[in-house]
Amino acid sequence: MNIYRERPNFIPWPPLLLVASTLMAILLGRVAPLPFEFGGAFVLGIVLIILALGIDLWAMRTLHEAQTTILPHRGSDYLVDHGPFGFSRNPIYLANMVLLVGMGCFSKNAWFLLLAPVDGVMTHFLAIRREENHLLAKFGYQFEAYCRKVRRWI
């Protein structure tokens, strides 16, 4: 039996990585602040935070309506390819990175900006690859066709 068929992971990496990145940025901002000034950073931060939260809520609602899991370490019951998943295979993880950038602009803490791509790379290797293996094992050709239509990030 394919180990990915039942569930992609045993640990919910993406939310843990988001929290770790946020805490690390706050800590590093206090211990070793980086200069970060540009006009409109505060407003841009608010816009990005609202955008990220909107994408997250839209994606979670879409998953809920499809009656499949929102939790990244649980197995999917349905391949969702509409809503935000019609634009990105990982809209929640993309929104997490936008949220980090928004928090960096809002707080004028450049560590958020530096840790956003680190969060994305870690999410890719710890979650996305395993989730894609899970979806391929569970949905086969249907998932392959979806991957040909929709990019992983944007």
Side-chain angles (χ1 to χ4, degrees):
M1 182 173 151
N2 188 322
I3 62 169
Y4 293 109
R5 189 157 175 78
E6 185 178 331
R7 66 183 350 185
N9 231 324
F10 290 97
I11 299 171
W13 286 112
L16 295 176
L17 291 169
L18 179 62
V19 169
S21 295
T22 301
L23 294 175
M24 189 173 293
I26 292 168
L27 176 67
L28 288 169
R30 291 177 189 256
V31 174
L34 296 175
F36 176 65
E37 286 292 329
F38 75 88
F42 181 79
V43 173
L44 178 60
I46 291 172
V47 169
L48 291 174
I49 290 168
I50 291 169
L51 175 66
L53 294 175
I55 292 169
D56 271 339
L57 292 173
W58 184 25
M60 287 187 243
R61 180 177 178 193
T62 303
L63 291 171
H64 179 73
E65 288 172 352
Q67 298 179 339
T68 192
T69 186
I70 294 170
L71 302 173
H73 63 296
R74 298 277 170 87
S76 294
D77 297 319
Y78 179 73
L79 180 62
V80 179
D81 61 358
H82 58 281
F85 297 92
F87 303 101
S88 169
R89 295 197 314 252
N90 299 289
I92 294 173
Y93 305 153
L94 178 62
N96 287 352
M97 291 177 55
V98 171
L99 181 63
L100 288 170
V101 171
M103 289 190 299
C105 292
F106 178 80
S107 66
K108 296 185 180 178
N109 179 345
W111 285 107
F112 279 101
L113 305 177
L114 295 173
L115 289 172
V118 173
D119 178 84
V121 169
M122 297 286 290
T123 298
H124 174 80
F125 286 106
L126 293 173
I128 292 173
R129 288 175 58 178
R130 294 182 63 92
E131 288 175 12
E132 289 181 348
N133 286 332
H134 164 70
L135 294 170
L136 183 60
K138 189 121 184 191
F139 302 107
Y141 178 77
Q142 193 179 5
F143 179 66
E144 289 176 345
Y146 172 63
C147 289
R148 284 192 295 276
K149 272 190 343 191
V150 179
R151 297 171 75 86
R152 181 176 285 136
W153 289 98
I154 51 173

